[in-house]
Amino acid sequence: MTTIFDAPEEFATTALKGFAAIYSRYVRLVKGGVVRATKVPKGKVSVVIGGGSGHYPAFAGYVGPGLADAAVAGDVFASPSTAAVARVCRLADQGGGILLGFGNYAGDVLNFGVAAERLRAEGIDVRIVPVTDDVASAPAETAAKRRGIAGDLMVFKIAGAAAEAGLDLDEVERLTRHANDRTVSFGVAFKGCTLPGAPNPLFTVPKGQMALGLGIHGEPGISEEDIVSATDLAALLTDKLLAERPAGTKRAGVVLNGLGATKYEELFVLWTAVAARLEAAGLEAVLPEAGEFVTSLDMQGCSLTLLWLDDELEPLWTAACDTPVLRRGATFTTEPATDALDDSDTLANFAEASDISKADGKCVAGVIEKIALALKEAEEELGRIDAVAGDGDHGQGMRRGSAAALEAARAAVAAGAGAASVLAVAGDAWADRAGGTSGAIWGLLLRSWSNALSDTAAIEKDAVVRGARLALEGVTRLGRARPGDKTLVDALVPFVETLEKEAAAGKSLVEAWSAAAEAAKAAAEATASLTPKLGRARPLSEKSIGHPDAGAISLALVSQVAGNFLAANKGDY
Amino acid sequence: MTTIFDAPEEFATTALKGFAAIYSRYVRLVKGGVVRATKVPKGKVSVVIGGGSGHYPAFAGYVGPGLADAAVAGDVFASPSTAAVARVCRLADQGGGILLGFGNYAGDVLNFGVAAERLRAEGIDVRIVPVTDDVASAPAETAAKRRGIAGDLMVFKIAGAAAEAGLDLDEVERLTRHANDRTVSFGVAFKGCTLPGAPNPLFTVPKGQMALGLGIHGEPGISEEDIVSATDLAALLTDKLLAERPAGTKRAGVVLNGLGATKYEELFVLWTAVAARLEAAGLEAVLPEAGEFVTSLDMQGCSLTLLWLDDELEPLWTAACDTPVLRRGATFTTEPATDALDDSDTLANFAEASDISKADGKCVAGVIEKIALALKEAEEELGRIDAVAGDGDHGQGMRRGSAAALEAARAAVAAGAGAASVLAVAGDAWADRAGGTSGAIWGLLLRSWSNALSDTAAIEKDAVVRGARLALEGVTRLGRARPGDKTLVDALVPFVETLEKEAAAGKSLVEAWSAAAEAAKAAAEATASLTPKLGRARPLSEKSIGHPDAGAISLALVSQVAGNFLAANKGDY
């Protein structure tokens, strides 16, 4: 949905005006287009590009030293007029002639072609190069009929670099045509785009499907298929282009282009699979780019473009340029870092532990085993509770975290660690693997608790109770939740208070813990009446009223499981 | 809709891997984040930033000389773990201490805070600065409770520039806090975002509404209102921020940030109104940027951020940096162009015309007047016909073009132009104002036709018939349509052929023209049975079968109107 505009019919002209205003360091606005805001040497070939609007950064975003001298902009998805093309060319002309580049569409061919004729009649030497990179639009034998899509960037980059290098118009034209002959693109669309002011999309793609080779104005593609995984999509795009690889080509400029609503991170995910495929084909990607280079308003989809490099094209592809969208060349003098980076998490060296503490450490690992088992079983239910108020990943995080904690605890036991160390590394592992807020909270809770234990003395009731208080303090010191915020704290506070009170009253640890777990359970259920406070990923807070907090429920569950373990092994405490 | 992924739970890690692979010239991948790929001076303060994934270019895209040294990345919309933060910090440490920057969210405060404590225990000096720019999330009096959104970019840019300048950790921390105190943002959302693998959006905004101050993970905002015009939206965003302007501030760094599915051209449209408002408030925008800097997957919406500059902050804001997303500093030695650009379309100097041709020129303007009137009346109907196969703008283009042609013809008549010149400038004006393919075609048609007329001799039947043939040749030479392609050519060919045949058979111009117009009409209606060929903005070609082509219908209409004019003025020919 194109949403931000005043008068829809003024969308393209206002967008161009705003672009020229914000990037006045790059361009000057003229009627129907922009020209460079910086001085251009007399006699240099001018590279003038253009086409319809709605494709930013194509084409105004390519204007600057090392790339285009000027860009002409038509209305949304409509060719600029002949007069506009001619006007912008006259303003860009430095006496060296003009290379006029545009995508190969009927309207553009017409308007740029007629403009070129008018300019030639006025004595300006003009050469036209329609870009024809879209392999979906015609077979290789009739490549001149192909449409121009994201290959525009590569072809214009070559033209701009050749012109900036001071080559004459014949040579700039030859190299631009050569680049166009060696540029291929293939794309898919997942969802159509909406013109400014239009109530409905210009075209649609059936839900769950992708349109292969659909044009950037919705022109018909090759077929519609079910959406596939990133790996399969990469294979589809890459193989289609590799089929046209010129013999002996070992290096390629690469652009993975987003059409508007497909985001960078999706392109990066796709890149991992594309890169693997290019590498397997023995093709090296030279200065690859992933991002939005030729868009189609808010269309969803992407395309892959390859520029088959040779000795002539590679230096032009890598040459410096400075435009709003693409910048190359050194601004800093840097050297690649070559030192080895060790990001492995090495097992801690544990303090010397007593035999009794080693035995207690095994018990700690035993409690954690029961907890991990219970959280695995409860994963779905916890996710369901969390989905009411959050993003539903709580069960997953608790399962992951407790499993990692168990693994770390077992490794620590095997390494001869004492009880305090086993609990501490279990907490760290939980935080690291679970991620998110609840992972950090559980890590903090276990590590803080461990501070009341030792690696030499046996675990005793007082130490456990003191640890519970330390855990609560740790969680509330760095976490922000306070009682009543509808978090784990709402169950943890009554747990700790009950444990302290019952222990002080002379109850055994098993009895005191059991009472504390009951208190935690009741408090967790009572969170159903609370409203959550502001927190991350909690967009639907009002919906959660009447439902308990997943974090509090987890705390209650864990304390109950731990209590059961204590009771079953009560002879030991 | 987030669409491209393999395993949804691996989305964030795979995206980071792909990012690091494509931008290996900037970053090296480590477990849980990236560090600079270039050598960093020993003893420099390291700026380490981070947060959840799904916000690219935040945060990995900010890594490079002059900005961040490293970035930590959590899962989608989830804080990175304490261990990940600590690990990446250790790898980025150059012995000068670490400035740790992140948005002010519970999970991040917790994980970055605990990591800072762990690192300090290891002897690394770490300072934490949570960014708090979102004015919608708390009032100014409790600004420390505010969330961090696109202001991240400004605050981290200041930190990075200060560290690159060689300042010590105390000073880098002071300047970063100072920048955060002077950074404010306000945003709106039009549509929620969808997590990878999720069947439904994480949250929604009611259709036709905008959510003011909605957080980048869907956290509650201020209110929901009807979507307003770009000008009103600019007022809303700007005024909210100007209310917090520190006394005496005359200059500001500005970022207009797109959240994902709101496109650059919409941001540029918005910028025209934002810039006007800032200027009216006496605030100069220094190196403003419009684009995607802190996104939220495919969320639709935008935010405005202002950094209130002072003598300390401005040089840091404008300092050179080189990262995948933001590059500042010279790559080329350039000078601003200062020559005046004249982009006015001056009236042509017409050749000396005879009195008889001047009178004929008035008749040409008279025909065009009738045509413009008829096309104005037919605008809606032509638009309706065009909407079946195209984007429905044909009627609008024909109305605009013919009105411009009439204006130019009248101006030419007033300037004493002869018949050929009047028709030629009318054609040019039509092409220039109508835009698109049909504008160019009509411009070409009229200008080509004018080549058979003169500015001295009277208009005669033979010249008119010859002109018709030239018009057809002009249209088919540069236009690509051939008979049967379902375009204006399908009506133009029988028109020209009938006109030639009837004229050769001795019929008067009026009679021949009338027969030709009938032939054009029949042919235009017969286009209903044709399928259009590939062309621009024709996504729904198959739907057009059974409907005539709008361009052919226009041609028939214009020839009929012109014929009626001729018949009414037949005494003159």
Side-chain angles (χ1 to χ4, degrees), chain B residues 52-75:
Chain B
S53 293
H55 303 300
Y56 187 87
F59 298 93
Y62 300 163
V63 175
L67 229 160
D69 292 87
V72 199
D75 210 341

PDB file of all heavy atoms in Angstrom, chain B residues 52-75:
ATOM      1  N   GLY B  52      17.941  -6.828  19.168  1.00  0.00           N
ATOM      2  CA  GLY B  52      17.288  -7.904  18.443  1.00  0.00           C
ATOM      3  C   GLY B  52      17.510  -7.797  16.947  1.00  0.00           C
ATOM      4  O   GLY B  52      17.896  -6.748  16.432  1.00  0.00           O
ATOM      5  N   SER B  53      17.269  -8.879  16.218  1.00  0.00           N
ATOM      6  CA  SER B  53      17.315  -8.848  14.756  1.00  0.00           C
ATOM      7  C   SER B  53      15.958  -8.415  14.206  1.00  0.00           C
ATOM      8  O   SER B  53      15.014  -8.211  14.954  1.00  0.00           O
ATOM      9  CB  SER B  53      17.700 -10.225  14.223  1.00  0.00           C
ATOM     10  OG  SER B  53      19.035 -10.518  14.591  1.00  0.00           O
ATOM     11  N   GLY B  54      15.871  -8.254  12.881  1.00  0.00           N
ATOM     12  CA  GLY B  54      14.629  -7.796  12.255  1.00  0.00           C
ATOM     13  C   GLY B  54      14.600  -6.296  12.053  1.00  0.00           C
ATOM     14  O   GLY B  54      13.607  -5.756  11.575  1.00  0.00           O
ATOM     15  N   HIS B  55      15.686  -5.620  12.415  1.00  0.00           N
ATOM     16  CA  HIS B  55      15.733  -4.154  12.336  1.00  0.00           C
ATOM     17  C   HIS B  55      16.789  -3.640  11.369  1.00  0.00           C
ATOM     18  O   HIS B  55      17.154  -2.471  11.432  1.00  0.00           O
ATOM     19  CB  HIS B  55      16.020  -3.567  13.724  1.00  0.00           C
ATOM     20  CG  HIS B  55      15.051  -3.952  14.773  1.00  0.00           C
ATOM     21  ND1 HIS B  55      13.711  -3.643  14.668  1.00  0.00           N
ATOM     22  CD2 HIS B  55      15.197  -4.619  15.949  1.00  0.00           C
ATOM     23  CE1 HIS B  55      13.088  -4.104  15.745  1.00  0.00           C
ATOM     24  NE2 HIS B  55      13.959  -4.707  16.525  1.00  0.00           N
ATOM     25  N   TYR B  56      17.339  -4.516  10.516  1.00  0.00           N
ATOM     26  CA  TYR B  56      18.436  -4.091   9.651  1.00  0.00           C
ATOM     27  C   TYR B  56      18.092  -2.791   8.928  1.00  0.00           C
ATOM     28  O   TYR B  56      16.960  -2.637   8.512  1.00  0.00           O
ATOM     29  CB  TYR B  56      18.769  -5.183   8.614  1.00  0.00           C
ATOM     30  CG  TYR B  56      20.015  -4.831   7.837  1.00  0.00           C
ATOM     31  CD1 TYR B  56      21.264  -5.166   8.313  1.00  0.00           C
ATOM     32  CD2 TYR B  56      19.937  -4.089   6.656  1.00  0.00           C
ATOM     33  CE1 TYR B  56      22.407  -4.788   7.635  1.00  0.00           C
ATOM     34  CE2 TYR B  56      21.076  -3.706   5.972  1.00  0.00           C
ATOM     35  CZ  TYR B  56      22.299  -4.059   6.465  1.00  0.00           C
ATOM     36  OH  TYR B  56      23.430  -3.665   5.795  1.00  0.00           O
ATOM     37  N   PRO B  57      19.065  -1.863   8.790  1.00  0.00           N
ATOM     38  CA  PRO B  57      20.500  -1.975   9.049  1.00  0.00           C
ATOM     39  C   PRO B  57      20.902  -1.940  10.520  1.00  0.00           C
ATOM     40  O   PRO B  57      22.076  -2.160  10.810  1.00  0.00           O
ATOM     41  CB  PRO B  57      21.095  -0.796   8.294  1.00  0.00           C
ATOM     42  CG  PRO B  57      20.001   0.195   8.214  1.00  0.00           C
ATOM     43  CD  PRO B  57      18.745  -0.606   8.092  1.00  0.00           C
ATOM     44  N   ALA B  58      19.972  -1.603  11.424  1.00  0.00           N
ATOM     45  CA  ALA B  58      20.306  -1.759  12.838  1.00  0.00           C
ATOM     46  C   ALA B  58      20.416  -3.267  13.089  1.00  0.00           C
ATOM     47  O   ALA B  58      19.470  -3.992  12.797  1.00  0.00           O
ATOM     48  CB  ALA B  58      19.224  -1.157  13.722  1.00  0.00           C
ATOM     49  N   PHE B  59      21.598  -3.739  13.581  1.00  0.00           N
ATOM     50  CA  PHE B  59      22.691  -2.902  14.035  1.00  0.00           C
ATOM     51  C   PHE B  59      23.974  -3.225  13.257  1.00  0.00           C
ATOM     52  O   PHE B  59      24.904  -2.433  13.254  1.00  0.00           O
ATOM     53  CB  PHE B  59      22.900  -3.122  15.537  1.00  0.00           C
ATOM     54  CG  PHE B  59      21.651  -2.719  16.317  1.00  0.00           C
ATOM     55  CD1 PHE B  59      20.658  -3.650  16.633  1.00  0.00           C
ATOM     56  CD2 PHE B  59      21.450  -1.397  16.664  1.00  0.00           C
ATOM     57  CE1 PHE B  59      19.505  -3.256  17.312  1.00  0.00           C
ATOM     58  CE2 PHE B  59      20.296  -1.006  17.357  1.00  0.00           C
ATOM     59  CZ  PHE B  59      19.321  -1.929  17.671  1.00  0.00           C
ATOM     60  N   ALA B  60      23.984  -4.391  12.621  1.00  0.00           N
ATOM     61  CA  ALA B  60      25.211  -4.835  11.953  1.00  0.00           C
ATOM     62  C   ALA B  60      25.605  -3.899  10.809  1.00  0.00           C
ATOM     63  O   ALA B  60      26.781  -3.748  10.498  1.00  0.00           O
ATOM     64  CB  ALA B  60      25.041  -6.263  11.435  1.00  0.00           C
ATOM     65  N   GLY B  61      24.603  -3.252  10.181  1.00  0.00           N
ATOM     66  CA  GLY B  61      24.886  -2.363   9.050  1.00  0.00           C
ATOM     67  C   GLY B  61      25.584  -1.077   9.452  1.00  0.00           C
ATOM     68  O   GLY B  61      25.972  -0.286   8.599  1.00  0.00           O
ATOM     69  N   TYR B  62      25.731  -0.830  10.744  1.00  0.00           N
ATOM     70  CA  TYR B  62      26.414   0.381  11.228  1.00  0.00           C
ATOM     71  C   TYR B  62      27.888   0.132  11.545  1.00  0.00           C
ATOM     72  O   TYR B  62      28.542   1.009  12.111  1.00  0.00           O
ATOM     73  CB  TYR B  62      25.771   0.877  12.529  1.00  0.00           C
ATOM     74  CG  TYR B  62      24.311   1.258  12.501  1.00  0.00           C
ATOM     75  CD1 TYR B  62      23.603   1.375  13.698  1.00  0.00           C
ATOM     76  CD2 TYR B  62      23.642   1.543  11.324  1.00  0.00           C
ATOM     77  CE1 TYR B  62      22.262   1.750  13.719  1.00  0.00           C
ATOM     78  CE2 TYR B  62      22.298   1.906  11.329  1.00  0.00           C
ATOM     79  CZ  TYR B  62      21.613   2.003  12.525  1.00  0.00           C
ATOM     80  OH  TYR B  62      20.293   2.365  12.555  1.00  0.00           O
ATOM     81  N   VAL B  63      28.390  -1.065  11.250  1.00  0.00           N
ATOM     82  CA  VAL B  63      29.766  -1.378  11.630  1.00  0.00           C
ATOM     83  C   VAL B  63      30.744  -0.969  10.531  1.00  0.00           C
ATOM     84  O   VAL B  63      30.584  -1.353   9.377  1.00  0.00           O
ATOM     85  CB  VAL B  63      29.911  -2.884  11.962  1.00  0.00           C
ATOM     86  CG1 VAL B  63      31.371  -3.239  12.239  1.00  0.00           C
ATOM     87  CG2 VAL B  63      29.052  -3.244  13.167  1.00  0.00           C
ATOM     88  N   GLY B  64      31.736  -0.185  10.908  1.00  0.00           N
ATOM     89  CA  GLY B  64      32.763   0.256   9.975  1.00  0.00           C
ATOM     90  C   GLY B  64      33.482   1.472  10.532  1.00  0.00           C
ATOM     91  O   GLY B  64      33.033   2.044  11.535  1.00  0.00           O
ATOM     92  N   PRO B  65      34.576   1.875   9.883  1.00  0.00           N
ATOM     93  CA  PRO B  65      35.341   3.025  10.359  1.00  0.00           C
ATOM     94  C   PRO B  65      34.458   4.261  10.544  1.00  0.00           C
ATOM     95  O   PRO B  65      33.631   4.570   9.687  1.00  0.00           O
ATOM     96  CB  PRO B  65      36.357   3.252   9.227  1.00  0.00           C
ATOM     97  CG  PRO B  65      36.525   1.928   8.591  1.00  0.00           C
ATOM     98  CD  PRO B  65      35.190   1.255   8.691  1.00  0.00           C
ATOM     99  N   GLY B  66      34.619   4.930  11.672  1.00  0.00           N
ATOM    100  CA  GLY B  66      33.842   6.140  11.949  1.00  0.00           C
ATOM    101  C   GLY B  66      32.521   5.859  12.610  1.00  0.00           C
ATOM    102  O   GLY B  66      31.823   6.785  13.033  1.00  0.00           O
ATOM    103  N   LEU B  67      32.135   4.598  12.719  1.00  0.00           N
ATOM    104  CA  LEU B  67      30.890   4.279  13.414  1.00  0.00           C
ATOM    105  C   LEU B  67      31.160   3.136  14.407  1.00  0.00           C
ATOM    106  O   LEU B  67      32.035   3.302  15.240  1.00  0.00           O
ATOM    107  CB  LEU B  67      29.766   4.010  12.405  1.00  0.00           C
ATOM    108  CG  LEU B  67      28.440   4.769  12.680  1.00  0.00           C
ATOM    109  CD1 LEU B  67      27.567   4.847  11.430  1.00  0.00           C
ATOM    110  CD2 LEU B  67      27.668   4.199  13.819  1.00  0.00           C
ATOM    111  N   ALA B  68      30.461   2.035  14.320  1.00  0.00           N
ATOM    112  CA  ALA B  68      30.640   1.019  15.369  1.00  0.00           C
ATOM    113  C   ALA B  68      31.815   0.083  15.080  1.00  0.00           C
ATOM    114  O   ALA B  68      32.208  -0.116  13.926  1.00  0.00           O
ATOM    115  CB  ALA B  68      29.364   0.209  15.523  1.00  0.00           C
ATOM    116  N   ASP B  69      32.338  -0.502  16.146  1.00  0.00           N
ATOM    117  CA  ASP B  69      33.406  -1.506  16.015  1.00  0.00           C
ATOM    118  C   ASP B  69      32.843  -2.907  15.903  1.00  0.00           C
ATOM    119  O   ASP B  69      33.488  -3.794  15.332  1.00  0.00           O
ATOM    120  CB  ASP B  69      34.345  -1.442  17.223  1.00  0.00           C
ATOM    121  CG  ASP B  69      35.137  -0.154  17.221  1.00  0.00           C
ATOM    122  OD1 ASP B  69      34.636   0.852  17.752  1.00  0.00           O
ATOM    123  OD2 ASP B  69      36.239  -0.140  16.640  1.00  0.00           O
ATOM    124  N   ALA B  70      31.676  -3.112  16.476  1.00  0.00           N
ATOM    125  CA  ALA B  70      31.082  -4.443  16.463  1.00  0.00           C
ATOM    126  C   ALA B  70      29.596  -4.311  16.755  1.00  0.00           C
ATOM    127  O   ALA B  70      29.143  -3.303  17.304  1.00  0.00           O
ATOM    128  CB  ALA B  70      31.738  -5.331  17.517  1.00  0.00           C
ATOM    129  N   ALA B  71      28.839  -5.332  16.363  1.00  0.00           N
ATOM    130  CA  ALA B  71      27.412  -5.364  16.668  1.00  0.00           C
ATOM    131  C   ALA B  71      27.046  -6.768  17.135  1.00  0.00           C
ATOM    132  O   ALA B  71      27.553  -7.752  16.600  1.00  0.00           O
ATOM    133  CB  ALA B  71      26.589  -4.982  15.450  1.00  0.00           C
ATOM    134  N   VAL B  72      26.182  -6.817  18.140  1.00  0.00           N
ATOM    135  CA  VAL B  72      25.676  -8.085  18.663  1.00  0.00           C
ATOM    136  C   VAL B  72      24.247  -8.218  18.158  1.00  0.00           C
ATOM    137  O   VAL B  72      23.488  -7.248  18.162  1.00  0.00           O
ATOM    138  CB  VAL B  72      25.645  -8.084  20.204  1.00  0.00           C
ATOM    139  CG1 VAL B  72      25.574  -9.507  20.732  1.00  0.00           C
ATOM    140  CG2 VAL B  72      26.829  -7.351  20.788  1.00  0.00           C
ATOM    141  N   ALA B  73      23.865  -9.411  17.718  1.00  0.00           N
ATOM    142  CA  ALA B  73      22.523  -9.595  17.164  1.00  0.00           C
ATOM    143  C   ALA B  73      21.797 -10.723  17.873  1.00  0.00           C
ATOM    144  O   ALA B  73      22.292 -11.851  17.920  1.00  0.00           O
ATOM    145  CB  ALA B  73      22.620  -9.896  15.668  1.00  0.00           C
ATOM    146  N   GLY B  74      20.630 -10.423  18.446  1.00  0.00           N
ATOM    147  CA  GLY B  74      19.799 -11.446  19.052  1.00  0.00           C
ATOM    148  C   GLY B  74      18.920 -12.103  18.015  1.00  0.00           C
ATOM    149  O   GLY B  74      19.091 -11.908  16.810  1.00  0.00           O
ATOM    150  N   ASP B  75      17.980 -12.881  18.474  1.00  0.00           N
ATOM    151  CA  ASP B  75      17.005 -13.480  17.579  1.00  0.00           C
ATOM    152  C   ASP B  75      16.066 -12.352  17.108  1.00  0.00           C
ATOM    153  O   ASP B  75      16.193 -11.211  17.526  1.00  0.00           O
ATOM    154  CB  ASP B  75      16.228 -14.569  18.344  1.00  0.00           C
ATOM    155  CG  ASP B  75      15.764 -15.673  17.398  1.00  0.00           C
ATOM    156  OD1 ASP B  75      15.716 -15.438  16.167  1.00  0.00           O
ATOM    157  OD2 ASP B  75      15.432 -16.766  17.894  1.00  0.00           O
TER     158      ASP B  75
END
